[in-house]
Amino acid sequence: NAGVTQTPKFRVLKTGQSMTLLCAQDMNHEYMYWYRQDPGMGLRLIHYSVGEGTTAKGEVPDGYNVSRLKKQNFLLGLESAAPSQTSVYFCASSPLTGSREQFFGPGTRLTVL
Amino acid sequence: QQQVKQSPQSLIVQKGGISIINCAYENTAFDYFPWYQQFPGKGPALLIAIRPDVSEKKEGRFTISFNKSAKQFSLHIMDSQPGDSATYFCAASTMNRDDKIIFGKGTRLHILP
C-alpha cells in the first residue's frame, strides 16, 4: 500500500496562474482533507470530503476549489494563485469507522511569486 | 470555543530529559485528543491519542496526561532522544466523524545530543 500520495511535490507559480494538486489514497477511506501549513499557524483545514461526490468548506477555503469525483482521489485547485497561497499543502484521509486517525501525505510545497 | 491552544511554541531539551508540551481547549463536547508527530519534510503521523474516560495513557516513552476539569492535556516524552526532534501537534475533536479535528499550532522540539 502506498497510503496517501500527493502530486506534485514542489511547484512554483506566478501570480494569477492556476494549478491543481492531486491527492490519491489506496486505503478505501471515506474521508479526505486538504490542509495548509504555514510557520507558526499549525495545520489549517481548507476543504474536506465525507465521501465520493461530496465536498465541504473548512477554516480557510477562499481562493481554493476541490473535487472528489472518485473515492480515492481528492483534487485541490487554485484558479488564480496569489502570493498568500505560498505554503505547504497536505492531504489526509481517514476511515469511516474505527479509529479517527488521519493519514497524511508527504506534502506539496507551493511557491507563488 | 473551537480553538486548541498549544504551548510552548518551541522547546529545547537535553538528551535524557523530559519534554512536556501542553494544550488547552474550551469545547466540552470534544472527546478525542490525539497527538501528531511531524519530521522535517514529512507529513504528520499519529503518535498517541486519548479519550476523556481515562486520565493517562502511556505508550513506551510517550505519555498523555488528561485533566478533564481543567480542560487541559499534555504530552510527556521521557528519556528524550535526538530522534524525537520534530514538530508535535495536539488536536481535539468529537467522535462524530463529520466534525473536524482542530489542531494546535504546533511545538518544535529539539533534543540536544
Side-chain angles (χ1 to χ4, degrees):
Chain A
N1 284 352
V4 178
T5 58
Q6 292 182 232
T7 309
K9 288 183 170 52
F10 304 92
R11 186 73 185 267
V12 178
L13 290 179
K14 294 181 179 179
T15 297
Q17 288 185 318
S18 63
M19 78 163 294
T20 300
L21 281 66
L22 171 64
C23 175
Q25 52 97 3
D26 61 2
M27 297 174 283
N28 201 35
H29 287 168
E30 290 290 335
Y31 292 77
M32 296 188 75
Y33 313 84
W34 275 108
Y35 293 91
R36 60 177 290 173
Q37 183 176 22
D38 304 289
M41 299 297 291
L43 292 159
R44 293 185 292 170
L45 183 64
I46 304 171
H47 286 281
Y48 64 104
S49 168
V50 300
E52 181 179 319
T54 74
T55 63
K57 294 181 180 180
E59 179 185 356
V60 289
D62 294 342
Y64 305 94
N65 58 77
V66 289
S67 64
R68 183 104 181 264
L69 298 179
K70 294 182 178 181
K71 185 177 182 179
Q72 64 268 32
N73 296 337
F74 195 28
L75 278 64
L76 178 71
L78 287 72
E79 291 187 349
S80 179
S84 61
Q85 294 177 305
T86 293
S87 186
V88 181
Y89 292 86
F90 288 100
C91 175
S93 70
S94 64
L96 178 64
T97 59
S99 166
R100 284 221 64 187
E101 178 178 358
Q102 291 194 6
F103 294 80
F104 283 81
T108 294
R109 182 174 295 274
L110 175 66
T111 301
V112 183
L113 301 175
Chain B
Q1 195 175 16
Q2 284 289 91
Q3 284 187 338
V4 176
K5 296 183 179 180
Q6 183 172 349
S7 62
Q9 192 170 358
S10 63
L11 181 62
I12 298 175
V13 175
Q14 291 280 353
K15 178 183 176 182
I18 302 173
S19 304
I20 302 174
I21 304 170
N22 300 299
C23 285
Y25 64 97
E26 289 295 326
N27 188 348
T28 55
F30 287 151
D31 59 2
Y32 173 70
F33 302 91
W35 285 87
Y36 281 78
Q37 180 187 54
Q38 182 183 30
F39 293 107
K42 305 291 185 182
L46 180 66
L47 179 64
I48 186 173
I50 196 169
R51 298 289 307 277
D53 51 346
V54 296
S55 60
E56 185 176 282
K57 183 174 182 180
K58 184 175 181 179
E59 291 185 2
R61 295 183 294 108
F62 299 90
T63 299
I64 301 178
S65 297
F66 185 81
N67 186 330
K68 189 173 182 178
S69 61
K71 291 184 285 186
Q72 295 175 348
F73 58 110
S74 60
L75 176 69
H76 296 235
I77 305 174
M78 311 300 288
D79 187 26
S80 299
Q81 298 297 311
D84 298 329
S85 297
T87 298
Y88 292 82
F89 294 96
C90 64
S93 75
T94 72
M95 287 302 288
N96 181 342
R97 290 180 177 280
D98 288 343
D99 285 345
K100 299 174 284 293
I101 290 180
I102 308 299
F103 286 91
K105 293 188 185 301
T107 296
R108 295 186 68 174
L109 174 64
H110 182 66
I111 308 300
L112 296 173

